[in-house]
């Protein structure tokens, strides 16, 4: 039942490339950084890899366990070649760097297919060169999901991986697994769970039980990942909620230190999801932490739907929210109201100081949290990693929303945004700029439509939202109304009769 929720994962393969002659106690791997321009996990650190191509299955792989593994190995080898220039095929030992480069050019220009190229140059793939060290499935909080086989591979001695930097990958370099893991621990890089797991596993050395240690995580055998720690001490725990498509889940966050735990937005009304979250919280508390409380970013049901169940489970738990949120939720007892510039201190190691920002726009009592030490912003539904943010009056207010976006844009050292839906955002400033320019663009088009004679939100949607499906028109009308209210405030539009607007010309 649950596996059918969200999009079906696409098959993919990735390569953990080991440096030739590397140090056995702390081996070096080839770590790449994804381009900041990518919509999915842009700016994340990762390993070379990608989705299966239709022709990957046409490659014969010597000694492969089965057809599926053979296709995955073919995909892994092709992606590695395309992204780094390293060709992991047998029979090509005498090939020069220049010859490999010309092969790569043939492949990338489409003059030869991957199977065709291997065949033509009498090259072949051998399963022994690719050690399977796990198979991980992207959690269902993302519209893009992959079922990825990870292969550990030794780079051939005379080949040197290189990333061109003009495609999906921005850069790549050899780095010791221990150093890379330390960078993740120091909140300097972001990576998805299988990458963090690989770096941690490899940092303990190329031991005899290496593969066993790789496979010791149940998630390495496709068990769905519940806790996603893009950054230490911030667990993203997506829970299934009746939310707005394309999202199917709301991100609950478990922010912890050695002594304290803060739960943010336990939003699921479904018992199975509430139990899964409660189990994760119990585990963190059983390790000696005390519960600081439950914090609500805003009033919407997909963010507060599991509060009562969690309180019942824990016996008692303080609830924190803005006054406007508290007032709008009579069934939830809010113990502490939070205001702009309040500070929450989670004692322990590391001590986490969270600045509260009142950021209305999506909802009147919307809160964001900012940790200056690591540049972490918890953005609630003001900025999300998946789908778009609806500004629905009167709870939503476009002018407030712009102001809130400008306020978080002005924070000095943002390095990550954790939104209410979808994966973490590694490119905070670019993302906020994109939000602002998208809204300004919509606003210009709406004003233009009004100037050309459209008067009601319905008329305006018909002209401006041509890229939106008719089913989404009711929601688009709410967004248009929010823009019209702002334009009215700005003095460029006025309401001529209820629900009808006209433009104020310069000589009105
Ligand atoms: Zn919301």
């Amino acid at each position: 039942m649950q596996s059918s929720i969200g999009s079906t994962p696409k098959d993919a393969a990735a390569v953990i490339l080991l440096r030739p002659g590397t140090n056995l106690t702390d081996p070096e791997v080839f770590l790449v950084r994804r381009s900041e321009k990518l919509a999915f996990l842009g700016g994340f650190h990762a390993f070379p890899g990608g989705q299966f191509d239709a022709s990957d299955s046409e490659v014969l792989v010597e000694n492969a366990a089965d057809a599926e593994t053979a296709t995955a190995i073919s995909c892994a080898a092709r992606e590695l070649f395309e992204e780094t220039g390293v060709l992991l095929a047998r029979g090509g030992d005498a090939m020069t760097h220049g010859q490999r480069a010309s092969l790569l050019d043939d492949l990338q220009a489409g003059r030869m297919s991957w199977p065709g190229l291997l065949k033509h140059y009498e090259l072949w793939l051998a399963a022994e060169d690719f050690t399977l060290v796990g198979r991980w499935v992207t959690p269902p909080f993302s519209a893009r999901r992959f079922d990825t086989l990870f292969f550990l591979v030794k780079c051939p001695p005379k080949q040197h991986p290189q990333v061109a930097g003009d495609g999906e990958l921005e850069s790549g370099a050899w780095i010791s697994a221990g150093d890379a893991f330390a960078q993740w621990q120091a909140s300097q890089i972001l990576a998805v769970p299988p990458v963090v797991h690989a770096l941690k596993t490899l940092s303990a050395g190329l031991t005899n039980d290496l593969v066993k240690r790789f496979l010791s995580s149940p998630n390495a055998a496709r068990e769905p990942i519940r806790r996603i720690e893009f950054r230490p001490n911030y667990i993203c725990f997506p829970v299934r909620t009746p939310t707005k498509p394309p999202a199917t889940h709301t991100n609950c966050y478990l922010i912890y230190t050695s002594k304290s735990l803060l739960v943010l937005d336990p939003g699921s009304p479904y018992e199975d999801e509430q139990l899964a979250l409660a189990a994760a919280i119990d585990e963190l508390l059983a390790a000696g932490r005390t519960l600081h409380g439950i914090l609500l970013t805003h009033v919407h049901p997909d963010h507060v739907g599991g509060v009562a169940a969690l309180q019942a489970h824990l016996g008692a738990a303080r609830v924190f929210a803005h006054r406007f949120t508290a007032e709008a939720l009579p069934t939830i007892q809010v113990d502490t109201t939070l205001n702009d510039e309040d500070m929450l201190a989670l004692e322990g190691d590391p001590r986490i100081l969270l600045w509260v920002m009142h950021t209305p726009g999506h909802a009147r009592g919307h809160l964001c949290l900012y940790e200056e030490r690591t540049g972490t912003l918890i953005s609630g539904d003001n900025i999300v990693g998946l789908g778009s943010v609806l500004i629905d009056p009167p709870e939503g207010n476009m002018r407030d929303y712009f102001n809130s976006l400008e306020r978080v844009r002005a924070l000095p050292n943002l390095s990550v945004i954790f939104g209410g839906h979808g994966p973490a955002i590694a490119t905070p400033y670019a993302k906020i700029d994109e939000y602002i320019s998208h809204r300004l663009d919509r606003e210009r088009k709406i004003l233009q439509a009004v100037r050309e004679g459209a008067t009601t939100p319905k008329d305006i949607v018909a002209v401006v939202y041509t890229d939106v499906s008719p089913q989404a028109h009711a929601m688009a009308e709410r967004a248009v109304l929010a823009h019209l209210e702002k334009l009215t405030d700005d003095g460029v539009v006025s309401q001529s009769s209820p629900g009808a607007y006209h433009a104020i010309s310069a000589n009105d």
Side-chain angles (χ1 to χ4, degrees), residues 298 300 302-303 362 381 421:
H298 67 291
H300 288 148
D302 61 327
H303 290 255
H362 174 70
D381 270 0
H421 306 275

Side-chain angles (χ1 to χ4, degrees), residues 409-429:
R409 177 74 179 77
L411 292 169
N413 68 328
L414 285 182
S415 63
V416 67
I417 295 177
F418 290 123
H421 306 275
I425 299 158
T427 54
Y429 296 107

Side-chain angles (χ1 to χ4, degrees), residues 59-61 74 77-78 81 87-90 103 112-125:
V59 172
L60 278 176
V61 181
S74 167
R78 177 184 50 73
F81 188 41
L87 184 56
L88 258 163
R90 295 203 176 183
L103 254 63
M112 281 191 134
S113 69
W114 171 240
L117 179 142
L118 292 174
K119 210 168 181 177
H120 183 84
Y121 291 93
E122 295 178 356
L123 305 170
W124 72 96
L125 304 178

Side-chain angles (χ1 to χ4, degrees), residues 152-177:
L152 188 65
V153 161
K154 286 186 188 132
C155 184
K158 284 175 190 155
Q159 296 196 44
H160 306 283
Q162 269 184 333
V163 168
D166 50 3
E168 279 192 22
L169 304 181
E170 174 199 280
S171 58
W174 293 116
I175 181 170
S176 92

